[in-house]
Every structure is written in C-alpha cells, then in structure tokens.
Amino acid sequence: QVQLVESGGGVVQPGRSLRLSCAASGFTFSSYGIHWVRQAPGKGLEWVANIWDDGRNKYYADSVKGRFTISRDNSKNTLYLQMNSLRVEDTAVYFCVRDGHPEIQYAFDIWGQGTMVTVSS
Amino acid sequence: QSALTQPPSASGSPGQSVTISCTGTSSDVGGYNSVSWYQQHPGKAPKLMIYEVNKRPSGVPDRFSGSKSGNTASLTVSGLQAEDEADYYCSSYAGSNKWVFGTGTKVTVL
C-alpha cells in the first residue's frame, strides 16, 4: 500500500545537527513532490519545506531557511531533511507528506506516522 | 506567514451538524481555491478530508463538506458521529511555493 515511513528522530542538544529520512513505497516516488510538516507538542501543524518531484526546486518556511536542507534520492525512494543549528523551538514531530498534485491539487494526501525530534540541553 | 485563524473548539450532539471556520487573507485563503482540511485523532497522523475548497478524496464520507467566501473557508460535518471527535486543521497555498496551516479546532461530540 501507499506508505511513507520516517526515521532518524531523537534527542539532540541545541546547536547540533540531525538528519531525518523518509522511505516511500507503494507509488512512483519520482512523480510526486514531497513536504515536511512538523507539529510541536500540543500545538498545531507547521509547513516546513518541500521539494519538487525531480528534486530541482526546494522551498522553505522562514523559520528554518538557512538551517534546514531538504533533498531526495529518487533511486532509493527516499526523502531527507538535514537539520543544522537546531533550536529548542524545533522540537516537534516531523511528518513526511506527499503532495497530491496532479490528482489532488494543493493538498497533502499521504502522511507518514511522524518521527519525534527533541532539542534539549 | 501567519497561521490561519480557526476557533479553538466546536461541539455538537450525535446527528447534528458542526461548522468550523478558517480565516486568512487575500494572500492565501482568498487568493487561491486551494483550501484543504485535515482530521487528526490523538497520537495519529493527519488525514486529508477536503481539498480544493470542496472536493472529497475517495473514501471520505459525504457528511464532510467545504466552502469558501472571500478570505474565510468553512468545513461542515453533518450527521455527527462519535468517530468525528478529533482535531481539524485547514491549510491553504500562500503563494511562492509556501503553505500555511490553521490554528486547529478541537471538535467534541457531546
């Protein structure tokens, strides 16, 4: 079945780095843009970044621009999020999310289960 | 980019209807027919319920409907059922390849 599975979360000190991965299966990964969306404990959803299907174009929320890098390896059906200079406010569950384009426009149609990132000294 | 504004809570008895609003600006909700709605049960990932303002993905009951007027979108859940109790979030494309979510609404089935 169509699935996204995140990994790589954990506890990290402020200022350090962490890399998240998202393994896709059940669909043609290289045909879809993918996003990262995060949710701080007890808070709402926040769009973080997205990458187009071919990996050429990447976009970031202002809150992470310059610190986070989204990338993908279509040969491995895998999405990445490199997070540098982590801050306490980056603590959240990070979801890997498929962009529904072209079948479903402007919406996130498939969500992973999420991976928890805790930034704490 | 500021979050879209939703009421913190909404409630209704089984069988009744509840409507949730989502207010943005002309740069997001009002500027595009791109509003989507997500249902999230505790400890679970969000689930797409409505996209492009009023379209339902396959498998979503027709009790869920969406609309938009100006800078405000709405989600209506008709014939409330116990399993509809969850958090609901709206989202909109905000231009320049960026997206914004709403603040979230907790729906309680009385």
Side-chain angles (χ1 to χ4, degrees):
Chain A
Q1 73 276 29
V2 176
Q3 195 170 230
L4 296 167
V5 179
E6 304 92 336
S7 61
V11 180
V12 62
Q13 293 179 327
R16 303 298 290 264
S17 299
L18 200 63
R19 188 177 84 155
L20 305 183
S21 299
C22 170
S25 60
F27 66 99
T28 305
F29 182 68
S30 60
S31 294
Y32 290 88
I34 308 289
H35 303 255
W36 287 100
V37 173
R38 68 184 180 183
Q39 186 171 36
K43 302 297 184 181
L45 301 170
E46 179 188 14
W47 177 80
V48 173
N50 91 305
I51 186 168
W52 286 19
D53 52 1
D54 60 6
R56 293 187 197 179
N57 295 89
K58 309 170 186 182
Y59 301 92
Y60 301 91
D62 291 343
S63 57
V64 306
K65 196 168 187 178
R67 300 188 298 122
F68 290 12
T69 301
I70 189 172
S71 63
R72 65 192 295 163
D73 185 338
N74 285 346
S75 69
K76 296 181 178 179
N77 291 343
T78 302
L79 175 79
Y80 304 100
L81 185 67
Q82 177 67 42
M83 304 185 294
N84 298 332
S85 303
L86 280 161
R87 305 168 179 168
V88 170
E89 54 265 35
D90 294 320
T91 295
V93 173
Y94 284 74
F95 294 101
C96 171
V97 187
R98 191 178 82 169
D99 190 305
H101 177 83
E103 297 91 354
I104 292 179
Q105 301 277 5
Y106 296 116
F108 312 111
D109 68 339
I110 303 296
W111 294 67
Q113 86 287 351
T115 187
M116 183 71 204
V117 172
T118 302
V119 184
S120 173
S121 54
Chain B
Q1 192 68 42
S2 298
L4 308 175
T5 301
Q6 298 181 233
S9 63
S11 62
S13 299
Q16 290 186 331
S17 295
V18 65
T19 297
I20 304 166
S21 62
C22 169
T23 301
T25 69
S26 58
S27 297
D28 38 61
V29 174
Y32 308 91
N33 282 327
S34 65
V35 175
S36 53
W37 290 90
Y38 303 87
Q39 177 191 67
Q40 186 180 34
H41 288 109
K44 301 294 187 181
K47 174 187 175 183
L48 176 65
M49 305 302 284
I50 295 287
Y51 67 99
E52 292 181 65
V53 178
N54 56 15
K55 297 179 181 179
R56 279 180 288 105
S58 174
V60 173
D62 59 7
R63 302 185 293 104
F64 292 85
S65 62
S67 63
K68 189 186 85 166
S69 178
N71 296 336
T72 298
S74 298
L75 172 72
T76 297
V77 185
S78 305
L80 267 176
Q81 299 183 4
E83 60 262 35
D84 299 332
E85 185 162 295
D87 294 327
Y88 290 82
Y89 293 92
C90 61
S91 177
S92 175
Y93 180 64
S96 302
N97 281 280
K98 300 198 176 193
W99 277 257
V100 61
F101 283 95
T103 50
T105 298
K106 181 177 181 60
V107 169
T108 301
V109 181
L110 301 172

